[in-house]
Amino acid sequence: MFNPDINDYQLTSIIAECCGGVAVVYSALYKPNNQNVAIKRYFVDESKEKEKANLIQQDILTRKELQHPNILSYLTSFVHGQELYVVSPLMTLGSCRDILDRYFQEGLPELACAIILKDVLLALQYLHKQLFVHRSVRASHVLLDTNGSVKLSGLRTAASMMVRGRRQRQLHNLPPPDHDNANLMWLSPELLEQNLKGYDERSDIYSLGVLCCELANGAVPFAEVPTTLMFTEKVRGSRPQLLDCSSFPEPLDDGEMKSMYNTDSGVGDSADGVSRLRQVYANRKLSDTFHHISEMALQRDPERRPSATQLLNHAFFKQIRKTDFLPSLIGRVKPIKADPSDMSALLLQEKLSEMEIEKQTEWDF
């Protein structure tokens, strides 16, 4: 049990800003048992940002309900002043998106992709059995730890197939928009269409297919495509693919190459970077089973997509051995460490120590 008391936590450093600047994630020390944790600090004025407040509350309630080794667990939460603090285990290698941007711009090794994707599928298998659709499967919501664990986060946009006590065959509503519509690149065609057919848990399988390409290529698929064109292309059946010597579209000029990447990652910032990536893709060969599983997940017709359980039995995962250890496969990644010189965290801690915890709050977590 973790106490919902700010005085039991010592913030140690800032890990990341997220949710469009609405939240900051800190590493922290839980003083009663000297355990490292992550704390997400939200500042939400409920009167002005009711939708965001509801999303945060939904995230907490969903995480309380769902318990699985491959889903980021909820430890506790509390309100302090005008801010909400949510405590989770510290995943010391960070998110797959961070790892790709900082260490593996050309994509992760295939075996590392297999281990990560298998654990994400185990999380989805559990979620779908609990009648939830995740609706935000992407590399930034896949967290890794130095002990080899892989956990799926991002449950703010998860939706239950149970509505007013009755199981729905399909859902029809779009996930709540995030701060920059970033999630759209991973969403399935049927979810984006918003027609009478609706969508179900197989929409997550399509997103997993996009994740396959994201992990293997290092790029965010569709990142540089205008939103309207992306909608049209997805509905027409256009889909991302794994890049290697068998699928790499040659010839490709530097401008086209850059357009395939998320500019925030810095991948396409120089001619040298573009040339190096072209060389990497043209000289590598990913397994036929990797191509096959991504193609199956990215089927335009959701009826043709396998379930999470079926995908877990795919030959692609037979390459994984019990002795394979994910952190060793991505050894260049440096774990998150507390930074005693992080003045922002220290100043915040001082500010918190001077404040009084509000005894009454309109939010009940």
Side-chain angles (χ1 to χ4, degrees), residues 65-340:
E65 182 177 343
L66 301 171
Q67 311 226 347
H68 186 272
N70 296 114
I71 292 178
L72 185 67
S73 56
Y74 163 88
L75 299 179
T76 191
S77 61
F78 47 87
V79 174
H80 187 86
Q82 292 295 313
E83 297 161 329
L84 170 70
Y85 294 78
V86 181
V87 184
S88 304
L90 179 63
M91 302 295 286
T92 51
L93 293 183
S95 77
C96 286
R97 186 67 255 164
D98 290 337
I99 289 169
L100 291 168
D101 287 346
R102 295 175 187 175
Y103 304 101
F104 285 91
Q105 294 181 348
E106 73 282 5
L108 297 173
E110 180 173 333
L111 182 55
C113 292
I115 293 171
I116 292 168
L117 290 166
K118 183 176 181 180
D119 282 351
V120 172
L121 275 169
L122 287 168
L124 290 178
Q125 180 188 50
Y126 169 78
L127 279 172
H128 295 166
K129 284 182 177 177
Q130 302 301 314
L131 303 179
F132 276 90
V133 183
H134 188 281
R135 304 195 301 181
S136 192
V137 176
R138 63 195 207 201
S140 60
H141 288 155
V142 180
L143 308 178
L144 311 183
D145 197 12
T146 48
N147 64 10
S149 64
V150 177
K151 294 185 186 291
L152 184 62
S153 65
L155 291 173
R156 286 192 310 147
T157 56
S160 175
M161 300 290 287
M162 294 292 292
V163 179
R164 291 186 290 276
R166 297 185 63 181
R167 179 175 179 173
Q168 306 298 301
R169 293 178 65 86
Q170 293 90 22
L171 298 173
H172 295 87
N173 58 317
L174 270 171
D178 50 22
H179 65 281
D180 59 359
N181 288 329
N183 198 40
L184 296 177
M185 274 85 79
W186 288 266
L187 297 182
S188 67
E190 69 272 15
L191 198 160
L192 293 171
E193 279 183 299
Q194 280 209 286
N195 58 26
L196 293 175
K197 291 182 180 178
Y199 64 91
D200 58 20
E201 70 277 0
R202 288 170 295 191
S203 179
D204 285 341
I205 301 302
Y206 183 94
S207 300
L208 182 100
V210 180
L211 176 64
C212 286
C213 300
E214 186 182 9
L215 294 177
N217 301 340
V220 175
F222 304 112
E224 295 302 306
V225 180
T227 301
T228 306
L229 179 59
M230 180 197 66
F231 282 5
T232 306
E233 289 299 306
K234 278 191 177 183
V235 171
R236 287 172 54 192
S238 177
R239 60 192 184 194
Q241 59 181 345
L242 303 179
L243 297 179
D244 66 1
C245 62
S246 69
S247 62
F248 193 59
E250 288 283 8
L252 198 67
D253 65 34
D254 287 357
E256 291 173 308
M257 186 71 185
K258 288 180 183 180
S259 73
M260 297 171 64
Y261 293 93
N262 180 355
T263 52
D264 289 342
S265 70
V267 170
D269 287 347
S270 68
D272 288 344
V274 171
S275 177
R276 180 180 64 82
L277 284 167
R278 177 185 285 133
Q279 193 79 8
V280 168
Y281 297 139
N283 289 333
R284 76 176 182 183
K285 178 68 176 82
L286 300 173
S287 70
D288 291 341
T289 56
F290 199 1
H291 282 282
H292 186 248
I293 195 172
S294 68
E295 289 165 5
M296 289 177 70
L298 289 166
Q299 292 282 347
R300 168 66 181 87
D301 181 359
E303 298 282 345
R304 299 179 63 185
R305 287 179 217 142
S307 67
T309 300
Q310 289 170 323
L311 284 179
L312 282 166
N313 292 318
H314 195 278
F316 173 60
F317 298 115
K318 287 185 167 50
Q319 64 183 292
I320 302 173
R321 300 287 178 261
K322 288 183 178 180
T323 53
D324 291 328
F325 188 52
L326 179 59
S328 299
L329 298 172
I330 53 172
R332 69 179 84 155
V333 180
K334 297 176 182 176
I336 296 166
K337 290 185 178 178
D339 181 3

